Every structure is written in C-alpha cells, then in structure tokens.
Amino acid sequence: MRNLLLASALSLIVVVPAVAQEANDPSILTVERVFANPSLVGPAAKGVSLSPDGELVAFLRSREDDVNVQDLWAMTTDGGAPFKLIDARALVPDAGELSEAEIARRERMRISARGVVEYSWDEQGRYILAPLEGDVFLAEREGGAVRRLTETEADEIDAKVSPKGNYVSWVRDQDLVVYDLAAGAEQAITTDGDGLITWATAEFIAQEEMDRDTGYWWSPDERFIAMQRTDESTVDVIPRLDISGGGATVIEQRYPRAGRPNAVVDLYVHDRTTGQRIKVDLGANPDVYLARVNWSADGKTLYVQRQSRDQKTLDLLAVDPTTGQGRVIATQTSEAWVPLTHDFKALADGTFIWSSEESGWKHLYLHRADGRRIRAVTSGDYAVTGLNGVDERTGTVFFTASMRDGKEWPIEQQLFGVSYRRPGRPVEITPRGGWWSASVNKTGTAYVGNYNDPDTPPQSALYSIDGERLAWIEENRLDENHPFWPYVARQRDPEFGTLQSHGETLHWQMSTPPGFDPSKTYPVVMQVYGGPSGGGVKRAWQPASTQLVTEAGYVVFRMDNRGEGYRSARFKQALYLKMGQPEIEDQVLAADYLRTLPFVDDDRIAAMGWSYGGFMTLHMLTEPKMGLAAAISGAPVTDWSLYDTHYTERFMSTPEANPEGYAASDILEQLPLMTGRLLLMHGMADDNVIFENTTRVLNALQEKSLPFETMLYPGQRHGIRGNERGLHQWRTYLDFLDRTIGSRSPAAQD
C-alpha cells in the first residue's frame, strides 16, 4: 500500500471565509496559487545523490514553467554553480503516452512527474543513466555529452548501468536486454517474456507493498545477473472498468486479493561468461515472497531474503550463483509480522549488517558470513529508521533515527554514526530541531543532507562527515525571492503535544488560524491517515494545505494513532488482526481532547483522509463517540477482503483465518450510524484500491436512502494528478466543508 498516498491525506482544504476573501489581500494564500507555477515549496532538489568519488552531486529539479516536469541537474562539490545536465523538453519536446506497464510502475512508485523521474550512477561515477519518456539516455560526466541509447515504440523500463560501467540494461516488452556501451549493440538476455510471463520486473505485490521496484540485480564483477521470472497465470482476474473522459475500457487486471493465490515468482542467475541460466532453489514451498536480493562484495554469494506467506518468518539464504544452491543462514520470526527493510549491507571482509526487530525495536546487528550474529550495533528504546552508509575503513555505520538521548522522539529525525566494531553511544552528526534525511558517500567522508523544519522549507547541502557544510546544493532560502515569501507573515507554526493510550504515547500537532483569539471558538479539521506508515506528525515544513485551512479560520489537528509511525514493534502491532479498531479508539481520544479546549467548537469537527485515511474517516464518521459533523473519504478501502495479499494479510491474516476482524472492519453495516455528512471521492481508473470499494458504499447508502455526496475522477488512478484536477479537487473540498462546518454550515448560522 506504500502508505496509501499519505501525502494525499495531508491535502486538506477548507473554505476561505468572507473576511479572507475581501479586498483580495495578496498575503492570503489561495487555492489557485497553490496549483500554479512555480511551486510554493521553492527550488527544492529531489533525488539528490553523490557520485561514487564524492566529487559531483546530481539531483532532479522541477521546471519553473511547469512544476510537473523535471530536469536532471548537477554540480561539483567544490562549490561550483549548478548546471543542467539533461533538459527533458530539449531532448524529448513532445512527450507521448507511456505504456500501461510504465504507467503502472510509476503508480506503484508514486511518481507523478514527467521528464526525468529517476536516474542512476555507474559505480565508477563515469556515467549517469536517465530514462526519459520511455527511452534511455546516458550522460557522460566528462564533458556532459548526452547519448541516446534507445528510440523505440516500446518503453524501456528499470534501466541500470552495470557496476563497472561497461553495460546498460533495461526491460523491454517483458524481457531483459543488455546494451554493450563499447560495441554499441544490445543483446536479449531473455526472449520468452510475453502474456502472463515477465522477466526481470518486480511483480505488482513487490512494487506496491514490499518497496521493491526492480526485478534484476547485477553482480559487482558484472559476470552474473540475478533476475526474477513472474508467472501471473495463478492470479485471479478482477475485471476493472478504466473509465476516462473518452469512454470506458474493461481491464482484465490480475489482482491478488487477500486469501487468494499470488503470482509464482522464481529467481534465476544468468552467467554472462557461459550464457547459462540457473534456477535458484528457493525451497520446496512456492507460496513465498521474494523479498530482497543482494550480492556479497566479492560477487561470489547471492543473498536472498525469503518471506513466508503469513509474513511471520523471514529467512536469509546464501546462494552459490554457479549452481543455484542455497542454505538458510539466518532467520527472523514474529508472532505478528516481520517487517521488510533495506537495512542490509554486505562488507568487504565477508561480514554483513542486517536489521531486526527482535528486541522490540528495529536495530542493526553485525553477522558473520555464515549468518551467526557477532554483536548488536545499535540498541535502546528507539527504532533505527534507515541504514544510510558504512565506512569500512573506520568501522562506522551511519543511520537515521528519531531519537534523543537514547530514547525515541518521533517528531524529529537525525543522522547518527556508531562503530560496528566497538559499539557505543551513537554520535549525533546532524543537529536537533527538525527532520533530516541523508545519503553517505561510499568512503564515509561526506554526506548529502536534506533538512526542513516548520520555518525552513526543504533544503539540500553537501556536508563533511563531521557535519560541516561544504556547499549548498539547493539552499532554498526563504527570502523575498522565494515563491512562498508573500505568505510567510501569516504562516502558523504547529504546536506539538502528546496523549496517552493503553500505555503508549501518542504525538499530535495543531495549527491555529492567523490572529488566533483563544476567547473565541473555532471549527476543527482533523487530518488523518491512521494506518501503518512513517507517521505524519513531524517538526517539519508544513504543506501549503495546512495554511489554506488555517487561513479559512480552522484549527488543524493531526495525531498519529497506534499502528502509525516508526515506533516500537508493540506500538505498530496494536492493530494486528483488528484494523479499524485501536486506530479509531485513539482518534476518539483525540476528539475528546479537542472538546476540552475552550476555543474548539464541539459541534463543528470534521475529518478528512485519503486511502487508509479514507478508510479511517468512514469509520470515524460512523463512530458515535467521535461526533463528527462531516467527513471526506478519498479512495477508501471499505472491505479488506478486496485488497491485496501482502499488505492485508500482514496485518489481518486471511479472511478465512480472521473472519471476525474482516467483518468488524467492513463499513457497510455501520453506515446508518453516520453522525454527519459524507463526501466520497475516488479515481475511476484506480488499480490499487479498486473502484469497487467505493461503488459498494454508494450502493449501500442509496439502498438505505442515506444522503451523501460524491466526486469521481475519470482516468485518475489512486491519486488525483495535475494542477487542473488538483485545483478542482480542492475547490470541491472548499465547497463541501464550507457547507458542513464552515461559514455556510447550519451550526455557523446559530
């Protein structure tokens, strides 16, 4: 579910009251300005990465004339000015339609932009590979020349430069192709990809739920390519109407619903020296998940993470690539589920670092080559959120965590360093006070740091490993030249606080309107996501939607309930087998707290969310203890038996094994309990949360003669894309909320 479009859950819109509309005050943010160019976020760099030698930085930047199109930029790390490396519109001025396979892949990756949307370095740093509008371009670091490698009707997807920079590979028409840069010729590694058979591409479940976007892996010496073969013939066909403005098409989608068969995924190793293809032995049970694939530093061992169907067991296999034979060298288990991570790093001496939640918190551990654990690298009452780099020279591992003084602090994130040879107290590399993400170079001497806080829009810089800033990549200074500058004076910093639920600390944030008067009463919009995710309560730069809401005279409130955020295993597993129960209980606690505040209008509280947040708002609206006056539910799951296997079974088991949990989470029987008005929204081509989730609610509401409102978006999938439709979506929000809890609502007229 990839957090089910958490960003959409933050896009809350409310009405601008008459006081804000009069005189067209230029300091008041409008929805029209939010959906215009340039972006109010400013020139924020995306996808920033260092060259392997640390001398060049590459990043994606949106065009000023079209925020939805990205170019590839670069700069030297000695302080030179940024320069455009690949101009998307210059190379492909008339971007055509993408293939269905590429559209689906980008939907899984939550990529909505066009132009250059991803890129990769070779390990020597000589080249940058950039797929662009279905073709592949190679930029040479020396001189900056850009070479077009393909110009075909078919899309080349998941393109990569081989580790030593001698080859480029991609998937075309369901087969893997390798292009020899020196010879200028391509070779088809597989030729039988067709119909329901696909090579070297992550299957739907891996892309959508396992955070695995690729289906092939080069060995470091370029001799081997590990690649998956997917057979979807076992997966149920779910006929799906893809309704657009020009008509409707029936898509025979292979969609593995909870409790039903998955695709059959096999792993092979192609030996480029012999041309042989060897099948990897993944065990006797074919009903497993190919979770992660990594190579050892010397390329002699293929590490495969194999997850059981019930996700309670995660095995690490060491495979001989010449024979395909493997053995289990380490296993993680849980009574609920074992989470998948990218926290695996094979070291040159044959050892490896791997994370585990067995202590109750996710921490890093050092293992021998045979899988035996040597020691814990990190420990304490906090969760490691990511393994960001390793300096094997000094024996230092770099990681991010939301932690202060050895205890969790979920609203901030920093980069830390600690020795994996002689573990001790982690050293804070980045300062406290906001939200950091980082990428450490291969030598462990520098990192690209991305930072933001409530007063600082996203900015990126190159830092030495001791935290000294060496050069700005994108300072994004909030001054009179920044697109958000006209609205800064009315920007409201959020207040943070906590509530207690079942022995757990729940963090919340709240923003009040400009000119806030605590002697007056205000309506409230509760932002909600609620499901398993990274959490939404952060000391971070707030989305423009928050200021729109406060400008309209609303208090904006958000709380991360149990199950949400990078917290302890116990905190996350509170919703196991009972999604829609502990989360709603915690949101009732939040509503009760809001009603204790003298400035909150008890009768004018609304909630809004998208995807899992849409599921939450439906349940919140039908929970009498919430007492909501209105709710907007976008693309909601309304019956978990309609959703996919890996996500749903992780938290709910199967419908056959947990009928009570599935029945309790089905919204249909609860609809007569609605305490306020409902606006239901969905994209009519959604291939993730299938449109059937909403149509069954539409039908049930009509059968029960219950009033509601609907807004459907032809041609849109799980998110509503583009400035024009986004503007319409927000205007729809404005009108609905104004009539239900805003200045035109009955309560406001009393």
Side-chain angles (χ1 to χ4, degrees):
M1 192 170 273
R2 286 283 179 95
N3 298 342
L4 279 181
L5 284 184
L6 177 59
S8 294
L10 294 174
S11 299
L12 305 178
I13 316 305
V14 295
V15 95
V16 179
V19 66
Q21 294 176 352
E22 63 185 12
N24 295 318
D25 187 340
S27 69
I28 295 176
L29 186 63
T30 66
V31 65
E32 290 77 17
R33 176 58 190 93
V34 171
F35 286 97
N37 298 315
S39 170
L40 288 173
V41 175
K46 306 169 188 175
V48 183
S49 69
L50 275 166
S51 61
D53 60 10
E55 294 181 0
L56 197 71
V57 176
F59 57 95
L60 303 175
R61 178 190 283 177
S62 295
R63 299 175 67 92
E64 289 192 3
D65 59 348
D66 190 344
V67 70
N68 297 308
V69 178
Q70 297 176 159
D71 298 319
L72 180 64
W73 288 69
M75 61 173 286
T76 59
T77 58
D78 59 7
F83 57 92
K84 189 180 295 187
L85 194 60
I86 292 182
D87 185 319
R89 286 295 172 257
L91 292 177
V92 185
D94 299 314
E97 293 296 320
L98 298 170
S99 68
E100 175 61 27
E102 180 64 0
I103 291 172
R105 180 172 178 268
R106 293 190 182 195
E107 182 72 16
R108 304 284 78 77
M109 297 174 71
R110 303 297 185 255
I111 294 174
S112 59
R114 294 297 295 263
V116 184
V117 298
E118 57 183 330
Y119 68 94
S120 59
W121 294 93
D122 71 306
E123 291 195 3
Q124 280 66 47
R126 293 180 296 172
Y127 305 114
I128 299 179
L129 185 72
L132 176 58
E133 306 297 0
D135 285 314
V136 181
F137 294 81
L138 189 71
E140 296 182 8
R141 176 173 166 181
E142 291 296 330
V146 178
R147 177 179 173 188
R148 186 169 193 156
L149 301 185
T150 67
E151 192 168 5
T152 62
E153 292 186 7
D155 282 348
E156 285 78 27
I157 65 174
D158 196 13
K160 302 177 184 180
V161 185
S162 63
K164 293 183 177 297
N166 294 312
Y167 307 94
V168 171
S169 52
W170 56 74
V171 178
R172 180 198 297 142
D173 292 331
Q174 300 173 228
D175 281 309
L176 180 64
V177 175
V178 170
Y179 182 93
D180 188 319
L181 287 172
E186 63 178 53
Q187 174 191 9
I189 302 302
T190 65
T191 57
D192 59 335
D194 187 42
L196 299 176
I197 304 298
T198 302
W199 284 97
T201 302
E203 75 277 21
F204 172 89
I205 284 296
Q207 293 181 34
E208 180 62 42
E209 310 299 2
M210 297 163 63
D211 198 21
R212 179 167 67 77
D213 301 313
T214 189
Y216 71 99
W217 303 265
W218 283 90
S219 65
D221 58 4
E222 298 184 341
R223 174 181 173 182
F224 301 108
I225 306 175
M227 55 186 179
Q228 77 173 72
R229 178 184 186 272
T230 305
D231 181 353
E232 289 190 293
S233 63
T234 55
V235 181
D236 293 339
V237 175
I238 306 297
R240 173 175 62 82
L241 270 179
D242 193 323
I243 304 173
S244 69
T249 303
V250 177
I251 305 295
E252 300 291 328
Q253 184 172 348
R254 297 278 172 168
Y255 190 96
R257 286 179 167 169
R260 299 296 299 155
N262 278 319
V264 176
V265 176
D266 294 311
L267 184 65
Y268 287 79
V269 176
H270 172 75
D271 188 335
R272 298 193 63 260
T273 61
T274 66
Q276 291 185 319
R277 184 189 304 162
I278 299 169
K279 185 176 182 180
V280 174
D281 182 5
L282 295 179
N285 182 5
D287 196 14
V288 294
Y289 293 106
L290 178 65
R292 299 285 185 265
V293 178
N294 300 91
W295 285 95
S296 62
D298 61 8
K300 295 180 179 178
T301 302
L302 183 67
Y303 291 110
V304 178
Q305 294 182 42
R306 178 186 67 192
Q307 189 179 46
S308 61
R309 174 68 184 259
D310 65 10
Q311 300 180 60
K312 296 183 179 183
T313 302
L314 181 64
D315 293 319
L316 179 64
L317 284 69
V319 177
D320 182 342
T322 64
T323 66
Q325 297 302 304
R327 58 190 179 88
V328 176
I329 61 172
T331 297
Q332 298 181 21
T333 61
S334 170
E335 294 183 358
W337 70 85
V338 179
L340 299 180
T341 75
H342 294 287
D343 306 327
F344 182 93
K345 174 64 176 177
L347 305 179
D349 63 3
T351 63
F352 60 87
I353 296 171
W354 196 26
S355 66
S356 169
E357 264 192 1
E358 68 174 46
S359 70
W361 302 86
K362 191 178 81 164
H363 283 295
L364 303 174
Y365 298 87
L366 181 66
H367 296 255
R368 301 182 191 278
D370 61 8
R372 287 183 296 171
R373 180 175 296 171
I374 300 173
R375 65 179 66 93
V377 178
T378 62
S379 62
D381 293 340
Y382 67 91
V384 169
T385 54
L387 174 58
N388 298 75
V390 175
D391 182 351
E392 297 188 56
R393 214 172 22 86
T394 62
T396 304
V397 60
F398 304 97
F399 66 94
T400 47
S402 295
M403 177 258 287
R404 277 191 177 184
D405 303 321
K407 301 290 184 180
E408 70 166 347
W409 185 241
I411 65 174
E412 297 179 7
Q413 181 170 278
Q414 294 173 256
L415 177 67
F416 297 86
V418 68
S419 172
Y420 61 81
R421 294 171 183 159
R422 294 176 297 279
R425 183 170 180 169
V427 175
E428 298 181 9
I429 296 176
T430 57
R432 301 177 179 183
W435 198 267
W436 285 90
S437 63
S439 175
V440 180
N441 67 355
K442 293 183 67 174
T443 58
T445 58
Y447 65 93
V448 170
N450 306 293
Y451 176 77
N452 67 99
D453 63 39
D455 299 313
T456 308
Q459 53 184 209
S460 304
L462 177 68
Y463 298 84
S464 63
I465 204 62
D466 60 5
E468 178 187 358
R469 188 175 68 241
L470 303 177
W472 284 112
I473 298 169
E474 200 69 86
E475 184 178 6
N476 200 10
R477 181 192 294 272
L478 189 56
D479 59 17
E480 61 274 9
N481 297 314
H482 195 282
F484 191 75
W485 182 254
Y487 316 106
V488 167
R490 297 177 65 85
Q491 185 181 37
R492 302 291 294 174
D493 283 349
E495 174 189 350
F496 294 89
T498 62
L499 296 173
Q500 297 297 315
S501 176
H502 296 266
E504 299 286 1
T505 299
L506 311 179
H507 289 258
W508 57 257
Q509 66 183 56
M510 178 168 57
S511 298
T512 53
F516 173 70
D517 183 348
S519 68
K520 297 180 179 179
T521 58
Y522 298 81
V524 177
V525 174
M526 297 179 69
Q527 298 182 342
V528 63
Y529 181 73
S533 71
V537 177
K538 299 176 180 177
R539 198 180 299 279
W541 181 254
Q542 299 299 297
S545 59
T546 299
Q547 185 149 338
L548 281 171
V549 174
T550 58
E551 284 284 12
Y554 291 80
V555 171
V556 180
F557 184 89
R558 178 175 183 125
M559 185 187 73
D560 289 346
N561 49 247
R562 282 173 294 159
E564 189 173 8
Y566 295 123
R567 306 289 297 276
S568 69
R570 185 182 69 175
F571 189 92
K572 294 184 295 183
Q573 293 171 7
L575 51 65
Y576 183 56
L577 301 180
K578 49 185 178 182
M579 288 200 298
Q581 298 177 55
E583 310 99 299
I584 302 302
E585 182 180 349
D586 289 348
Q587 294 299 332
V588 169
L589 180 68
D592 289 343
Y593 168 71
L594 286 170
R595 290 189 171 96
T596 68
L597 303 176
F599 54 83
V600 169
D601 187 330
D602 294 1
D603 297 324
R604 289 197 289 165
I605 300 178
M608 180 181 173
W610 197 272
S611 225
Y612 201 107
F615 165 77
M616 287 287 291
T617 55
L618 284 174
H619 282 269
M620 291 165 70
L621 187 63
T622 57
E623 171 51 65
K625 295 179 182 178
M626 286 292 305
L628 293 183
I632 299 176
S633 174
V637 175
T638 65
D639 176 1
W640 284 108
S641 67
L642 300 179
Y643 201 62
D644 66 47
T645 52
H646 194 272
Y647 186 92
T648 309
E649 293 174 13
R650 184 188 325 158
F651 309 117
M652 292 286 282
S653 187
T654 64
E656 294 74 23
N658 182 25
E660 297 84 3
Y662 278 80
S665 65
D666 191 333
I667 196 62
L668 290 194
E669 296 304 315
Q670 298 171 235
L671 291 175
L673 300 176
M674 289 193 305
T675 60
R677 296 301 297 268
L678 170 66
L679 171 59
L680 194 57
M681 311 180 83
H682 214 122
M684 300 182 78
D686 197 332
D687 60 350
N688 178 7
V689 179
I690 304 298
F691 191 34
E692 180 184 348
N693 281 275
T694 283
T695 58
R696 64 193 298 269
V697 174
L698 302 180
N699 181 65
L701 289 168
Q702 292 168 355
E703 285 184 338
K704 295 175 172 64
S705 297
L706 296 172
F708 68 99
E709 300 179 34
T710 310
M711 180 55 65
L712 305 176
Y713 287 91
Q716 298 301 293
R717 302 207 178 196
H718 196 48
I720 309 305
R721 312 295 192 189
N723 278 351
E724 294 78 11
R725 282 190 175 86
L727 178 57
H728 179 274
Q729 182 184 22
W730 283 46
R731 285 172 169 167
T732 303
Y733 296 159
L734 287 168
D735 179 67
F736 176 78
L737 289 170
D738 186 27
R739 289 183 287 104
T740 55
I741 65 169
S743 60
R744 287 190 285 148
S745 67
Q749 309 306 316
D750 294 341

